[in-house]
Amino acid sequence: MIATVVSFALAPLLAMAGGGLFGAFKPPTPRLGSAMQHFAAGVVFCALAVEILPDIMHRQAPLAALGGFTAGVLLMLALRSAGCRLEKASGSPLGMTLVVGTDVLIDGLLIGVAFTAGTREGVLVTIALAVEMLSLGLATAASLARAGASRTRTIVSVLVLALLPMIGAVTGSLALGGLSGGWMEAVLAFAAAAFLYLVTEELLVEAHEVPEAPWMTALFFAGFVGLMMLDMLAPAG
């Protein structure tokens, strides 16, 4: 299982590193960044709707699901509050880097959680998060450049951040690989809350910071249906 997790977790690692390197030399325009965030939001939302939520419903452990979901919501809100305070207090690229690092580490943990539920779930979640990491790598590089970071510092920062999803995925798989029953239900519900937060409070909020065109909105649905088709056409098992 660990070998499988590591091999698939290379996708978000390479996606974020590639996006960051590209963004360090050619920062994306705000409209391009918004378009990518719409697409990534659709892909992540599809992974939640197609794999994670049906698995939670199938297990039929409502109390465990409620507890896990509540814990996920509280943690994401706490991290959001701490991140805002850190960015305001530091006023430097370091504060933003720490906030992004926390986010991508949790994303990596979600990959490990998904693989504990099943290989199919893990693969779909990894694909979704790889798309999100590509968008995040571009956005992080652009934000660091605007904050005054040198190109070298931007590249090093993004490459270090790109390692965190791999660390999170391996940690999640090792720590949660033996879970079953209600504990697994709680962990999956926790992941569902984190995915909902990622889509509604991060990707789409940031995507709507620029004037929106219909084609940009359509990319959300393109991302959703694209991953859904991939899942439907993939071999069962």
Side-chain angles (χ1 to χ4, degrees):
M1 174 61 74
I2 293 299
T4 301
V5 171
V6 169
S7 62
F8 278 99
L10 284 172
L13 185 158
L14 294 174
M16 185 167 190
L21 289 173
F22 184 86
F25 289 93
K26 188 175 178 59
T29 64
R31 285 171 64 84
L32 176 60
S34 176
M36 292 191 64
Q37 286 165 335
H38 275 93
F39 184 79
V43 173
V44 172
F45 191 70
C46 180
L48 170 66
V50 170
E51 290 294 343
I52 296 179
L53 287 179
D55 200 352
I56 293 172
M57 300 298 292
H58 176 72
R59 292 172 185 269
Q60 295 185 338
L63 291 179
L66 178 61
F69 193 87
T70 302
V73 171
L74 292 176
L75 177 62
M76 299 309 292
L77 292 176
L79 289 175
R80 173 66 175 271
S81 178
C84 290
R85 289 199 300 269
L86 179 61
E87 284 191 272
K88 290 179 180 179
S90 66
S92 70
L94 176 61
M96 186 192 68
T97 303
L98 292 174
V99 173
V100 173
T102 303
D103 284 344
V104 297
L105 183 62
I106 291 176
D107 288 346
L109 287 170
L110 296 180
I111 293 174
V113 167
F115 271 102
T116 63
T119 301
R120 192 180 185 91
E121 290 89 337
V123 171
L124 205 67
V125 166
T126 302
I127 293 172
L129 289 179
V131 175
E132 188 250 337
M133 291 293 171
L134 176 62
S135 172
L136 185 59
L138 281 167
T140 301
S143 297
L144 287 172
R146 287 195 298 269
S150 66
R151 179 175 293 172
T152 300
R153 183 174 181 179
T154 297
I155 292 173
V156 171
S157 297
V158 174
L159 291 179
V160 171
L161 290 172
L163 294 173
L164 295 180
M166 174 71 75
I167 295 172
V170 173
T171 301
S173 181
L174 289 173
L176 305 172
L179 293 181
S180 61
W183 286 107
M184 178 55 69
E185 176 84 3
V187 169
L188 288 174
F190 177 92
F195 271 107
L196 279 173
Y197 184 89
L198 173 62
V199 172
T200 60
E201 294 298 319
E202 291 188 5
L203 288 171
L204 290 181
V205 168
E206 294 174 8
H208 292 158
E209 289 179 354
V210 299
E212 197 169 341
W215 67 268
M216 295 163 67
T217 303
L219 286 175
F220 172 87
F221 299 97
F224 187 99
V225 76
L227 190 64
M228 184 175 69
M229 291 297 103
L230 180 63
D231 185 50
M232 292 175 67
L233 295 173

